[in-house]
Amino acid sequence: MDQSATAEAGNHMKRHGNPWNQIIAFENLLLAARQAQRGKRFRDNVLRFNYNLEQELEKIQRELQSQTYQPGAYRTFRIREPKPRMTSAAPYRDRVVHHALCNIITPIFERTFIHDSHANRLGFGTHRALKRFTQFARSSRYILQCDIRKYFPNIDHEILKGLLRRKIKCPGTLWLIDTIIDGSNEQEPAIAYFPGDTLVTPIERRKGLPIGNLTSQCFANIYLSSFDHFVKEQLKVSRYVRYVDDFSLFSDDRTFLAEARLAIENYLATLRLKIHPIKSQLFATRLGANFVGFRVFPDHIRARSHNLKRARCRLRRLQQSYRQGLTSFEDVTQSVQSWSAHLKHGDTWHPRQHIFNSLTFESPR
């Protein structure tokens, strides 16, 4: 989630009263449009929307008020970084609606999250997660590192709606949430069986959220929040970090972590999730552990080669986008500074010099 955008939402929107009225307020829709266009304001679909901004927002507002709003068709494509997967892009007007919803419901759930769930939260993120991970890794002998198998394609719609209804009772807000969830497009095939299933249960149950949606990122945090509390409060794991679907438990007791893994697998089954059988491992921290693009050792942190490759590819695309006039110099500067700041969290002086010294940004044609 755009953390600065969320902060702006917090400064502008009142946090009391009927959440539905706050969601459909023109002030919130206007803020949502500003958030949705960040880094994309020169794209054709954004320019067309902004050309008649007030009318477009009023149309969205009318559709929400009358509950006739329906999400448009997704554009689906495959990405290779940071790992091969299918992702989906919703129409721009739908992304505005997603921001409008998240501006209001995110604070409702934020206070229920544990301290060490780090993804898509204001004031959190990869760098804070890496710092916490490093602190735990260097003060523990062992790590149980787990990855949830095909997390977004396996998020169960019925379970997700039930979790959201624990905190939200407002009918209008629930209608919009259900409309967005039900409007999810088909995700990657992910057939898995759990206790009590019949042969057709995995096919009958609707599941999967589009990775590219802001709402999906928000819902993904909510979906695993009860699991976070289970690990901390029931398993009594004091050193635990989660970033989206990657989570790690640390201890000096290897047997404790081995037993925790079995309990974790049983709990995740209640959410119709499984940990990846190969990527989930229990090992000594001195061997080095991968996390958010870095490899953490007892005495140094190294950027993983695929993370450096990803930086080069993204910056090359940025060069091309700037040359074609699709990206502003302000956005270029912000992106370059962001990548540089990210890589600085490892011992990466030499690779950073190599990447950034090779960059030249030609003026737009």
Side-chain angles (χ1 to χ4, degrees):
M1 187 183 296
D2 186 329
Q3 295 174 359
S4 60
T6 309
E8 188 177 352
N11 292 333
H12 284 72
M13 302 307 299
K14 295 179 181 178
R15 294 302 177 200
H16 55 80
N18 187 327
W20 181 237
N21 289 339
Q22 295 178 52
I23 290 166
I24 65 175
F26 189 84
E27 176 192 10
N28 185 43
L29 294 174
L30 181 60
L31 173 60
R34 288 210 303 270
Q35 294 165 334
Q37 74 172 2
R38 286 188 178 163
K40 306 178 182 73
R41 59 185 183 272
F42 294 110
R43 294 184 182 178
D44 289 344
N45 57 342
V46 181
L47 290 169
R48 282 195 301 271
F49 188 93
N50 285 344
Y51 186 74
N52 296 302
L53 179 61
E54 192 170 333
Q55 294 94 318
E56 292 284 359
L57 294 179
E58 286 173 348
K59 184 181 178 185
I60 289 174
Q61 188 181 46
R62 286 194 301 271
E63 290 178 13
L64 292 174
Q65 284 172 330
S66 61
Q67 296 191 6
T68 57
Y69 164 79
Q70 281 298 316
Y74 284 92
R75 182 171 57 87
T76 301
F77 49 96
R78 295 198 68 84
I79 59 173
R80 297 186 177 278
E81 297 293 343
K83 56 186 176 183
R85 61 187 177 183
M86 186 183 102
T87 189
S88 304
Y92 180 69
R93 76 189 303 264
D94 290 341
R95 298 205 293 273
V96 173
V97 173
H98 297 168
H99 276 277
L101 174 65
C102 290
N103 283 346
I104 307 305
I105 71 166
T106 296
I108 295 172
F109 290 95
E110 175 63 32
R111 53 183 169 265
T112 70
F113 296 152
I114 67 162
H115 181 72
D116 280 312
S117 164
H118 289 269
N120 308 311
R121 295 176 64 192
L122 178 63
F124 290 75
T126 54
H127 303 147
R128 181 166 168 165
L130 178 64
K131 184 178 179 180
R132 196 74 164 151
F133 184 95
T134 304
Q135 176 189 335
F136 290 154
R138 290 179 175 173
S139 60
S140 311
R141 291 181 64 192
Y142 299 103
I143 176 175
L144 172 62
Q145 195 162 28
C146 299
D147 177 285
I148 295 178
R149 189 173 177 273
K150 292 188 175 181
Y151 179 47
F152 281 87
N154 273 311
I155 291 176
D156 186 273
H157 289 190
E158 184 181 336
I159 294 173
L160 174 60
K161 289 177 182 180
L163 293 170
L164 289 160
R165 278 162 169 75
R166 289 182 183 179
K167 283 287 177 185
I168 296 177
K169 310 299 180 186
C170 166
T173 305
L174 289 173
W175 166 82
L176 180 56
I177 286 170
D178 289 352
T179 298
I180 292 170
I181 293 172
D182 294 341
S184 300
N185 60 337
E186 193 71 26
Q187 299 299 299
E188 293 182 64
I191 302 295
Y193 288 90
F194 297 90
D197 282 1
T198 66
L199 191 62
V200 295
T201 300
I203 302 167
E204 289 176 338
R205 296 185 71 96
R206 286 213 68 207
K207 62 180 183 293
L209 297 179
I211 292 175
N213 279 7
L214 180 69
T215 47
S216 297
Q217 297 166 24
C218 173
F219 296 158
N221 260 354
I222 294 165
Y223 200 79
L224 284 178
S225 182
S226 63
F227 169 71
D228 292 335
H229 285 279
F230 168 75
V231 172
K232 297 287 290 182
E233 295 155 20
Q234 300 299 314
L235 298 185
K236 307 292 186 185
V237 178
S238 58
R239 287 166 280 183
Y240 166 78
V241 177
R242 180 171 67 82
Y243 191 85
V244 194
D245 57 347
D246 294 326
F247 60 90
S248 299
L249 293 71
F250 303 84
S251 176
D252 292 330
D253 186 341
R254 187 184 179 96
T255 303
F256 170 74
L257 292 179
E259 292 172 352
R261 174 172 176 154
L262 296 175
I264 283 167
E265 288 175 336
N266 290 334
Y267 188 94
L268 288 176
T270 67
L271 297 173
R272 299 189 67 82
L273 297 173
K274 293 185 177 184
I275 59 175
H276 199 289
I278 299 171
K279 294 180 183 176
S280 302
Q281 297 178 329
L282 171 55
F283 57 96
T285 52
R286 62 180 171 78
L287 300 175
N290 296 326
F291 190 64
V292 296
F294 294 91
R295 189 167 180 84
V296 178
F297 292 93
D299 58 354
H300 68 285
I301 301 174
R302 197 167 65 208
R304 297 182 69 190
S305 56
H306 82 79
N307 205 28
L308 295 173
K309 181 181 176 184
R310 188 170 158 220
R312 288 190 189 94
C313 290
R314 283 191 63 171
L315 291 169
R316 274 199 295 268
R317 286 198 299 270
L318 199 63
Q319 278 179 303
Q320 185 178 1
S321 181
Y322 177 66
R323 192 165 56 243
Q324 294 171 345
L326 299 174
T327 303
S328 70
F329 185 74
E330 175 191 3
D331 289 336
V332 167
T333 304
Q334 186 177 9
S335 188
V336 170
Q337 288 174 343
S338 175
W339 264 104
S340 180
H342 176 65
L343 293 174
K344 277 181 184 176
H345 284 77
D347 301 304
T348 59
W349 190 86
H350 287 292
R352 274 189 287 118
Q353 294 303 305
H354 181 73
I355 291 171
F356 293 110
N357 287 344
S358 65
L359 282 176
T360 55
F361 283 88
E362 298 175 15
S363 299
R365 294 168 183 169

